[in-house]
Amino acid sequence: MRSPLRTPMVASLVRDASLVWVASGIVGISFGAIAVAGGLPVWVPVVMSLVVYAGSAQFSAVGVLFAGGGPLAAVATGVLLNTRLAAFGVAVADVVGRGRLARLAGAHLITDETVAFALAQPDPERRRTAFWVSGIGLFTVWNVSVLAGALAGSALGDTAVYGLDTAFPAVLAALVVPALRDDPRLRRCALLGACVALAVTPVVPAGVPVLLALAGLALYGGGAREKAVAG
């Protein structure tokens, strides 16, 4: 009997998601190394990655601590950056599944990359499978990579010189471009969101522009209502 993990659909999703996992691994190594090189014990970035599991929030929280801020300021920064995940949770509510355990585990696995990867799939079954394949794989790779980076510590030197900050944006762009190409409403939403993010970037803290860019979704909802009325 063939294992469900070896079906052609799962195999193709694993192949497609591997690009995201590689990018996640590179950034995870960077985070672990930065945290330990800055003076934190190895267990701190490892536990943070297991429990928080949010790259941008983890980087920001560590940055606040290194800048002299207290734990409360670090937590507040992470919570602010992760506010956008509430909208992502609504977007994939039907994708995750209906069981309590599935929703609890799925909520912890929600990330920008996994949501984008799942919603880019053409049908409900493939979207659900894509969410779990990407989510479990990304969670595993991220945590293993953070541990590796933390153990390497300062041996990696200045990780900024490697240009690791460009890895995730490039992956996300590759995931959303096909959807933007096929749906004019999504293009209008993305354009409005990009304009909002660019406009507020000079005056708000890092991470907030992404949250405010969700205002672009207003055009998608409005377009859907107009289409329904016309029908």
Side-chain angles (χ1 to χ4, degrees), residues 27 38 67-68 76 124 217:
V27 179
L217 294 175

Side-chain angles (χ1 to χ4, degrees), residues 51-102:
V51 176
V52 178
Y53 184 52
S56 60
Q58 292 176 226
F59 271 105
S60 298
V62 168
V64 169
L65 292 175
F66 289 169
L72 290 180
V75 171
T77 301
V79 170
L80 178 62
L81 290 178
N82 281 345
T83 305
R84 72 189 189 283
L85 298 182
F88 294 164
V90 173
V92 296
D94 293 335
V95 174
V96 171
R98 299 187 180 278
R100 181 175 299 179
L101 181 59

Side-chain angles (χ1 to χ4, degrees), residues 15 20-21 27 33 39 62 73-74 76 83 87-88 94-95 105 107 115 118 128 132 151 155 170 174 184-185 221 224:
R15 182 183 63 247
V20 182
W21 298 344
V27 179
V62 168
T83 305
F88 294 164
D94 293 335
V95 174
V115 170
R128 179 167 298 179
W132 289 107
L151 292 175
R185 289 185 299 163

Side-chain angles (χ1 to χ4, degrees), residues 100-204:
R100 181 175 299 179
L101 181 59
R103 288 185 176 274
L104 182 62
H108 192 57
L109 295 178
I110 289 176
T111 62
D112 307 60
E113 300 79 24
T114 292
V115 170
F117 185 69
L119 296 183
Q121 307 306 317
D123 59 78
E125 180 183 1
R126 191 174 177 89
R127 282 194 290 273
R128 179 167 298 179
T129 306
F131 176 87
W132 289 107
V133 167
S134 175
I136 294 173
L138 194 61
F139 181 81
T140 303
V141 170
W142 173 258
N143 283 282
V144 170
S145 300
V146 169
L147 175 60
L151 292 175
S154 58
L156 294 178
D158 183 8
T159 56
V161 302
Y162 305 129
L164 300 180
D165 56 329
T166 64
F168 268 170
V171 170
L172 285 176
L175 289 175
V176 302
V177 163
L180 295 178
R181 186 186 301 120
D182 297 336
D183 192 334
R185 289 185 299 163
L186 285 180
R187 288 199 294 271
R188 291 194 293 269
C189 294
L191 179 60
L192 175 58
C195 290
V196 170
L198 288 173
V200 302
T201 294
V203 296
V204 300

